[in-house]
Amino acid sequence: MSVVPLTGELLIAGAARQGQAGAVHAFDASTGARLEPGFGKATLNDLEDACAAAQAAFRPYRALAYAERAAFLDAIAEEIEAIGDDLTVRAMAETGLPRARLEGERGRTCGQLRLFAQVVRDGGFLDARIDPAQPDRAPAPRLDLRLRNVPLGPVAVFGASNFPLAFSVAGGDTASALAAGCPVIVKAHSAHPGVSELVGRAVQAAVAKCGLPAGVFAMLHGDGREIGQGLVADPRIKAVGFTGSRAGGLALVRTAQARPVPIPVYAEMSSINPVILLPAALAARAEPIANAFVAALTLGAGQFCTNPGLVLAVDGPDLDTFIQAASAAVAAAPAQVMLTAGIRSAYENGVTRLGEVRGVSIAGVAAPAVGAASPALFAVSGRDFLAHPELTEEVFGAASLVVRCQDLSELRTITEGLEGQLTVAVHVDAADHSQLGELLPSLELLAGRVLVNGFGTGVEVAHAMVHGGPYPSTSDGRATSVGSLAIARFLRPVCYQNLPDPLLPDELKATNPLVLHRRIDGALTAP
Ligand code: NAP
């Protein structure tokens, strides 16, 4: 167990205090044992203090030199690394995830912070544009127009249960909001409060080390329905980042929309990530694709938002081969510990529900084990799939459904009827390319990421990544929560018309003191 002493305190305005509204406890995901200490839940006074501090910090924080903002992001990464092995040990206990996965996730989290430091230094996110005045233009002169992006203001972040580091206290939402110039208040996920405290203290240490206003970061424990809702309703909060269930995400969207001044909620919710097997690929590689599919399905007990929960292919002997191989691999897979008892019970109920739908048969299931969840594979005809829309609901965990389509036309009908997804994967050989070309326009409308001969699990943190998609995979399909483009969620363009040069922000001054690439009269121009 962790040797770093956890205090169970809230982190507000550069200080720590015990929450007085009861306590939340973590549980060992493998044994169910309660872990110490209790984490005091925030009261409305704590919420008020965190919001007031964030508001006070906003103007000085956004006014910092970009080099200082970038150094702060780098400093957070250094502080997280400095926690050492205690972070991994506590995360293993709280989530049941294995060491290697958590060490990789820590690397990804720190890499993500450093990527956003680079984004800030680069300055491209400001999207500086200049349309110089044209006083002699006929019939009417054009005035001088200049544009840059500015931060929205304090952001509320709800961490995910399935990524205790990369999508939590100092994860992608926090890193991109801080990079944009927005203070952050995190509602810690109750499934990993100890990890949250360790990382939260690392962020606080970086704030102090960089001499920033203390309200740039806060972290609150408490129930989502109380403290989380209170946070999103607070007029000082200007945007929300969330990863979790559709019910939770939509509840926050409703609150944000009902405010006197509505705000954007970027909620990443549920997705079943269809996998399409085209005929030539299936004929050539049914078994290897089946084995790779089951490896992706069972990775991390299937607790990925990009988990392949649906397979579509034309029925026939090649699909039989695929199903047989996949069923054998699923049956041989071990039952796995899930993140929380609640998530395991939701998975088991989902699997039972799936198996009870008319026409659905179980193809393969892993042996049961106490306190663990067994991967499961089901099959259904295309006709029965179309007749039962409930089959498109996410079962969060290692369960998937293979749809035996009558022909490519039915496969296409099913694909075009699906709800918005984070990813869609297509397995092809050269002989399938023309069919893939025909499907592509539908796939672009379906998902945020279209991928070939792979599976959506494993989301690269990069400039061209999209981890988002049409509703209901997210509440706003125009955005991504992974990769450098995630910063755009927390920015807003402002146009300056006819401002005297000395009063313009540095990004837009004639001398280009920040040495930015700028779009001048529509053309991207080097400094
Ligand atoms: P969750 O129940 O949606 O919780 C996520 C966060 O939102 C928690 O901090 C939670 O607070 C808060 N919250 C939940 N309902 C809320 C509400 N009505 N108002 C305000 N805040 C609320 O998700 P989870 O516990 O991580 O996992 C449960 C299910 O979410 C899974 O079974 C799975 O279906 C789905 N999930 C999806 C993804 C994905 O990436 N698509 C990832 C993880 C989970 P408290 O719990 O502390 O009250």
Side-chain angles (χ1 to χ4, degrees):
M1 187 42 52
S2 173
V3 294
V4 170
L6 293 169
T7 63
E9 289 168 305
L10 310 169
L11 305 177
I12 299 172
R17 67 171 84 156
Q18 200 65 48
Q20 301 295 331
V24 59
H25 273 89
F27 292 88
D28 187 306
S30 304
T31 65
R34 197 170 96 159
L35 299 171
E36 296 304 327
F39 294 79
K41 295 182 188 176
T43 62
L44 291 180
N45 281 342
D46 298 321
L47 178 65
E48 165 61 31
D49 290 349
C51 290
Q55 188 181 35
F58 176 46
R59 285 178 185 228
Y61 179 59
R62 66 167 287 218
L64 276 186
Y66 293 119
E68 286 181 58
R69 198 189 287 176
F72 170 47
L73 291 162
D74 284 337
I76 299 174
E78 278 158 31
E79 292 293 333
I80 291 173
E81 285 163 352
I83 304 169
D85 198 45
D86 290 342
L87 182 61
T88 308
V89 172
R90 179 78 191 190
M92 286 166 68
E94 289 188 338
T95 65
L97 294 170
R99 169 177 285 279
R101 149 73 200 271
L102 288 163
E103 285 174 347
E105 192 180 325
R106 183 203 295 230
R108 172 183 166 156
T109 307
C110 295
Q112 199 161 245
L113 286 156
R114 293 187 170 113
L115 174 83
F116 278 108
Q118 282 307 328
V119 166
V120 172
R121 286 191 185 98
D122 173 79
F125 74 101
L126 296 160
D127 197 13
R129 294 165 182 236
I130 300 175
D131 293 338
Q134 294 175 350
D136 301 327
R137 191 182 66 172
R142 183 174 81 181
L143 297 173
D144 185 87
L145 300 171
R146 293 172 191 241
L147 175 153
R148 68 161 177 170
N149 285 327
V150 299
L152 293 180
V155 171
V157 169
F158 291 74
S161 55
N162 57 341
F163 278 89
L165 299 167
F167 274 91
S168 195
V169 175
D173 286 344
T174 298
S176 53
L178 290 175
C182 302
V184 167
I185 303 179
V186 175
K187 205 299 272 177
H189 199 292
S190 37
H192 54 265
V195 171
S196 298
E197 178 176 329
L198 292 172
V199 175
R201 286 188 181 277
V203 182
Q204 249 192 357
V207 171
K209 214 173 236 179
C210 296
L212 303 185
V216 161
F217 174 79
M219 191 193 73
L220 306 174
H221 297 287
D223 295 336
R225 283 173 182 74
E226 292 166 22
I227 217 70
Q229 287 287 343
L231 191 55
V232 173
D234 191 283
R236 290 160 290 197
I237 296 297
K238 301 300 182 199
V240 181
F242 169 94
T243 306
S245 65
R246 195 186 297 190
L250 292 185
L252 294 176
V253 168
R254 282 193 293 274
T255 301
Q257 288 301 314
R259 293 166 38 133
V261 180
I263 53 170
V265 175
Y266 297 101
E268 193 229 291
M269 303 180 288
S270 54
S271 183
I272 55 173
N273 307 296
V275 176
I276 298 172
L277 310 177
L278 287 180
L282 198 55
R285 297 179 278 120
E287 278 190 41
I289 296 174
N291 289 327
F293 159 68
V294 174
L297 175 69
T298 55
L299 191 70
Q303 300 165 124
F304 286 100
C305 32
T306 48
N307 195 53
L310 185 72
V311 179
L312 304 174
V314 174
D315 204 5
D318 296 329
L319 184 56
D320 290 341
T321 306
F322 172 86
I323 292 177
Q324 275 159 19
S327 302
V330 162
Q336 291 180 66
V337 169
M338 293 193 81
L339 293 159
T340 65
I343 286 179
R344 190 177 78 235
S345 117
Y347 171 74
E348 288 167 349
N349 291 338
V351 165
T352 305
R353 246 190 357 260
L354 209 56
E356 285 171 357
V357 175
R358 195 184 158 86
V360 172
S361 60
I362 183 100
V365 65
V370 178
S374 305
L377 185 67
F378 296 87
V380 69
S381 71
R383 203 174 65 173
D384 284 330
F385 183 81
L386 286 168
H388 294 282
E390 67 270 29
L391 289 175
T392 61
E393 282 168 25
E394 179 190 43
V395 176
F396 189 67
S400 193
L401 175 66
V402 182
V403 183
R404 294 175 176 275
C405 303
Q406 187 176 289
D407 50 27
L408 279 170
S409 157
E410 187 177 65
L411 186 151
R412 197 173 184 147
T413 305
I414 290 175
T415 306
E416 288 178 355
L418 291 171
E419 295 181 315
Q421 304 289 331
L422 294 171
T423 70
V424 58
V426 193
H427 287 257
V428 296
D429 260 18
D432 296 314
H433 282 188
S434 66
Q435 276 150 4
L436 174 58
E438 281 170 29
L439 272 175
L440 208 48
S442 307
L443 304 183
E444 289 165 354
L445 296 179
L446 176 65
R449 179 159 57 112
V450 179
L451 61 127
V452 166
N453 291 340
F455 298 92
T457 42
V459 184
E460 189 73 33
V461 181
H463 300 288
M465 176 50 68
V466 173
H467 188 61
Y471 180 88
S473 66
T474 73
S475 57
D476 190 336
R478 293 168 298 176
T480 175
S481 62
V482 176
S484 58
L485 200 56
I487 195 172
R489 298 174 298 169
F490 305 118
L491 296 167
R492 176 175 75 77
V494 175
C495 172
Y496 305 84
Q497 182 173 318
N498 235 13
L499 252 70
D501 194 76
L503 296 182
L504 279 167
D506 283 352
E507 292 88 331
L508 301 174
K509 284 194 164 89
T511 53
N512 194 6
L514 300 182
V515 200
L516 294 173
H517 279 76
R518 306 191 289 189
R519 198 165 281 283
I520 299 179
D521 249 339
L524 196 58
T525 309

